[in-house]
Every structure is written in C-alpha cells, then in structure tokens.
Amino acid sequence: MPDETKPQRAHRQVTYRLLPQTRDNWRRLERVLEAQRQLYNAALQERSDAWRLAGVSLTWQDQFRSLTACRREIPEMAAVPVAIQRGTLKRVDEAFRGFFRRARAGQKPGYPRFRGRRRFNSISVYSGVRVEAGRLRLPGFGWMTVRRRGGTPYPDARPVSAVLRREAGRWYAVVCHAVAVAQPEDDGTAIGIDMNAGQVAASDGRLFHAPDTRRLEARKRRYQRMVARRRRASHRRDRARRRLARTARRIAMARRDWHHQVSRRIAEGAHTVAIEDLKVRNMTASARGTAEEPGTNVRAKAGLNRVILDTGWAALRAMLDYKAARVIAVDPRHTSRTCAACGHVDARSRRSQAVFHCVACGHADNADANAARNIRRRGLALLHGEAAGVPGRGTVNTRRRMAA
C-alpha cells in the first residue's frame, strides 16, 4: 500500500507551440514524419502478412528485433533515432490491441488501416525528452524553440515522453511530465454534479454554461462549403482546408479549456464528487432507423445529439476522474423528477428545462440544481453503504497514483 501522506507521481500533459524557425528544421520534421508513416505502413503490412501466410501473430518485441536488423542494412533508417521509430511501432501495437479488444467485446472491430499522407500527422518520442527555458530537446532534432502562454506549469517535473503533432500547417509538442502530487485529505465535503445539454449544475447552486461557439460554428460551415466547391488537389482547396482545420481546432480548444476550468473548480470545491452514470454512446445514437422502419423526430434528435456531444459529458467526467480525489457514479434515473426537499417523484414537477416546482410540497428551484442535490444524496448513500432505497447501479472511483 502506498503511503497516503507521501507525494505520489502522476502524469500530466502540456501542449506547446513548436517553432522550427528555420527552413531546415521544417524540412527535417516533414522528412521524419514521412519516414514514420512509411514505417507504420510497413509494420502493419508485416503483421498482416505474418498472420495471412503463416498464421503467426507478431508482437511489438518481434518488430523491435526486426527494426534492429533493418537499421543495420538500411542507412536511411539508421539516420532516424531509434526512440522515434520505437514509438511508431508502439502505435501499431496499440492499434492492434484496440482491434482485438473491440472484437472480444462484440463491437465493430475496425481493422487497422494504412495511413495516407493526410492521415498521419504525429511523431511519438518515448525517451530522451528535455524541456528548459522555452526550449525542447528531442533525439535527432536537438534544441527547438517552444512557446506556451503562461510558461511551463511544471518547471521541476521530469519530461517522460513527447508527441509532435502537425495541425493545420502548424506544429505542436505535447509533452508528458511526471509530476509529484500530494494525496488530498478527506475533509468530508461532497458535491453533486448534473450534466445537461449546454450546461453543468452543481449541488451548491453554481451553474457552468458551455462556451458560445455559434460564430465559430458558422465560420466552420462556411469553410466546409468552400472546400466542397473547390477542385480537388488544387492549391485553393488546400488553403480552404487549412482554414477549416484552424477553425475546428479553435472550437475544440475552447471546449477543452471550459472542461478544464469547470473540472478544476469542482475538484477544488469538494473531496467527493457524485456524477450521473450516463451512457453517452447510447444516448446519442441516431434516430433514423432503417428503410423498413424509419425513425421519428429525426431532426430534433440529431440536434439534441449535437448539443450533448458539444457539451462533452464524457470528456468532463474523464477530467474529474483524475482531478477529484473520489468520484462516485450513480444511477441517473428520476434524478430530474425527484424533489430534493421531500423526495416525491413526479414528472409534472419538472415544469420546463430550467424550472422545478414540486407538486407535493411546493419546493421551487432550478431544475438542474435540484437534480444535482439528488445526485449528491445518492452518491453519499452509495459511499456509506446506505443505497438500499436508491435505484440501480453505481460505482465509486477513488484516485490512485503511481508510486514515486
């Protein structure tokens, strides 16, 4: 058992803007990226041929040994640091692990595919990473300038690995740091969180509204039409694609920043966080149906699905899982229909999307805040083993970090 009072080690990712600065650095990044794309496709082909021709399933250790032999025979491969090539082979292994995991679970497996030039935009580096004074050092590249607003949040942390990403004509470095974090003490505080379309409510009455990205969404649709109109493989189409990619990234970063801010404010406010155990994949399934049995209210359901996915319930829960000391997932049934004051359950009490007025006791409150208080009560009952009268499922996830 790890010592609860001793600081533990956790991994934190930090994204930097990579500034190659010189034309030689740009070209080197592009050359290494193309070489890793070809290595990825070759490793995928080797695994497929080994199974198809000999019935042998290769592992990443087998391909590491093959890589060593290839580096002796091919000077072009020996020019690329082995840490980068091993990262590419690990990506192939992760793709196959995901394929087998989905196949065992009965899901659509999705066999790993070969990557074209526009489908391979990152370089993985698993060792030899250093960050200091606005500079990043990687094997084979030396020192390169990086920039991040606010500087490095973990100046004393040890960089473990890095991923260089090319997005919309720009390069970014995502560096994973090993950070020492103290285990929080249980002060008995708990908070319930209700996740709705476009906002998140806390049991203490706080409401967190999702960022307004309507102007960026309109710009994104305009660029999508622009890309569709322009001739394929033309320079004007490439320029439109870059504009579209940059706009899409701005939208994604705005939502991600909102998720980080909300999850941090929630995690700092209480030791225990109770949330709904929502099945987002099932809730956002299409209502189109089939040709024989077409669905109903397809456009309305598509709009609701879009708002749910834009709010990002799954992303917010993932951030709470590692920021909060304890996360309890409770059954969401009837949380929005139950009165937090008297416990009466009635659908008529939910007057509208924002108004809750109990038909039994007259208690009035914001509908989402009322649901968040019910979620908090269920979470505490599940935590203390008093969930006999609480419906359905529930899980308790207490944060555990790697030992230092």
Side-chain angles (χ1 to χ4, degrees):
M1 293 290 293
D3 186 2
E4 297 293 335
T5 61
K6 182 181 178 180
Q8 304 289 314
R9 288 285 177 179
H11 286 165
R12 295 291 182 265
Q13 292 184 348
V14 181
T15 301
Y16 303 89
R17 172 77 183 277
L18 186 62
L19 303 175
Q21 292 186 318
T22 65
R23 188 170 297 179
D24 289 340
N25 288 339
W26 280 98
R27 290 173 177 171
R28 188 186 312 165
L29 286 168
E30 296 290 344
R31 285 197 304 268
V32 173
L33 180 64
E34 175 61 18
Q36 298 318 294
R37 184 185 72 87
Q38 295 179 8
L39 178 61
Y40 182 96
N41 291 339
L44 176 58
Q45 185 69 54
E46 183 186 24
R47 289 203 179 200
S48 300
D49 290 345
W51 178 257
R52 179 173 55 88
L53 299 177
V56 177
S57 180
L58 297 180
T59 64
W60 60 270
Q61 293 95 335
D62 298 329
Q63 294 198 310
F64 275 15
R65 287 190 286 268
S66 300
L67 174 65
T68 303
C70 291
R71 288 176 61 88
R72 295 196 191 102
E73 302 293 334
I74 305 174
E76 291 80 3
M77 292 190 66
V80 180
V82 68
I84 295 177
Q85 294 172 334
R86 288 185 174 180
T88 303
L89 296 182
K90 289 291 289 183
R91 289 178 60 181
V92 178
D93 184 71
E94 291 171 0
F96 275 95
R97 286 179 181 271
F99 166 73
F100 291 125
R101 182 182 65 252
R102 292 187 294 270
R104 287 192 299 268
Q107 303 173 356
K108 187 177 180 180
Y111 191 81
R113 297 184 296 177
F114 294 102
R115 301 298 184 92
R117 292 180 183 273
R118 292 180 179 175
R119 297 288 182 179
F120 195 91
N121 294 300
S122 62
I123 303 170
S124 301
V125 186
Y126 280 85
S127 61
V129 181
R130 292 176 59 187
V131 179
E132 61 179 44
R135 297 189 303 167
L136 171 67
R137 189 181 189 281
L138 298 172
F141 294 101
W143 290 100
M144 290 188 293
T145 304
V146 293
R147 183 176 64 193
R148 182 183 183 275
R149 183 177 299 177
T152 302
Y154 311 111
D156 300 327
R158 177 177 59 89
V160 177
S161 61
V163 176
L164 305 183
R165 298 186 59 86
R166 182 183 63 185
E167 296 182 8
R170 297 176 180 176
W171 282 91
Y172 298 88
V174 183
V175 182
C176 181
H177 297 265
V179 184
V181 183
Q183 189 74 12
E185 297 182 359
D186 190 354
D187 56 0
T189 58
I191 192 171
I193 300 298
D194 177 70
M195 292 183 284
N196 205 337
Q199 71 178 18
V200 173
S203 58
D204 57 5
R206 290 179 296 172
L207 295 177
F208 305 97
H209 298 279
D212 186 2
T213 59
R214 287 176 294 181
R215 294 184 63 182
L216 290 175
E217 293 285 356
R219 184 185 304 175
K220 178 182 174 181
R221 291 192 294 270
R222 186 169 68 252
Y223 287 148
Q224 287 174 333
R225 293 192 297 268
M226 187 183 300
V227 171
R229 286 195 302 264
R230 293 184 175 178
R231 183 166 55 87
R232 290 181 178 273
S234 66
H235 293 295
R236 296 178 73 244
R237 183 186 175 93
D238 287 339
R239 287 197 296 270
R241 286 181 62 254
R242 285 195 293 270
R243 292 176 181 174
L244 173 61
R246 289 174 183 174
T247 304
R249 189 178 188 278
R250 286 188 62 184
I251 296 173
M253 291 297 102
R255 291 172 182 158
R256 183 174 178 81
D257 178 69
W258 180 70
H259 289 149
H260 273 296
Q261 292 190 30
V262 172
S263 60
R264 174 52 57 195
R265 292 174 65 180
I266 292 173
E268 289 178 347
H271 178 272
T272 301
V273 179
I275 61 174
E276 298 171 285
D277 189 12
L278 299 174
K279 307 301 180 184
V280 181
R281 183 186 297 272
N282 299 338
M283 296 177 64
T284 56
S286 174
R288 292 179 182 176
T290 61
E292 294 77 13
E293 298 181 1
T296 58
N297 297 327
V298 178
R299 289 178 62 88
K301 184 63 168 63
L304 176 61
N305 293 349
R306 190 180 305 112
V307 176
I308 291 175
L309 295 175
D310 289 347
T311 309
W313 295 346
L316 181 60
R317 176 173 177 176
M319 293 184 183
L320 285 173
D321 280 338
Y322 77 86
K323 291 183 181 181
R326 182 189 293 122
V327 176
I328 305 175
V330 303
D331 193 315
R333 285 179 292 178
H334 304 309
T335 53
S336 61
R337 300 179 176 184
T338 303
C339 177
C342 68
H344 182 71
V345 181
D346 197 319
R348 295 175 300 171
S349 299
R350 184 73 180 260
R351 301 295 178 86
S352 67
Q353 188 70 18
V355 177
F356 183 91
H357 195 280
C358 182
V359 297
C361 68
H363 171 70
D365 198 355
N366 179 276
D368 293 337
N370 177 82
R373 294 185 178 94
N374 292 326
I375 293 168
R376 179 182 182 273
R377 182 180 296 111
R378 291 189 184 184
L380 291 177
L382 183 64
L383 178 64
H384 299 299
E386 304 168 358
V390 178
R393 59 188 184 271
T395 58
V396 179
N397 177 26
T398 302
R399 184 174 62 191
R400 288 288 180 265
R401 300 185 177 90
M402 297 184 306

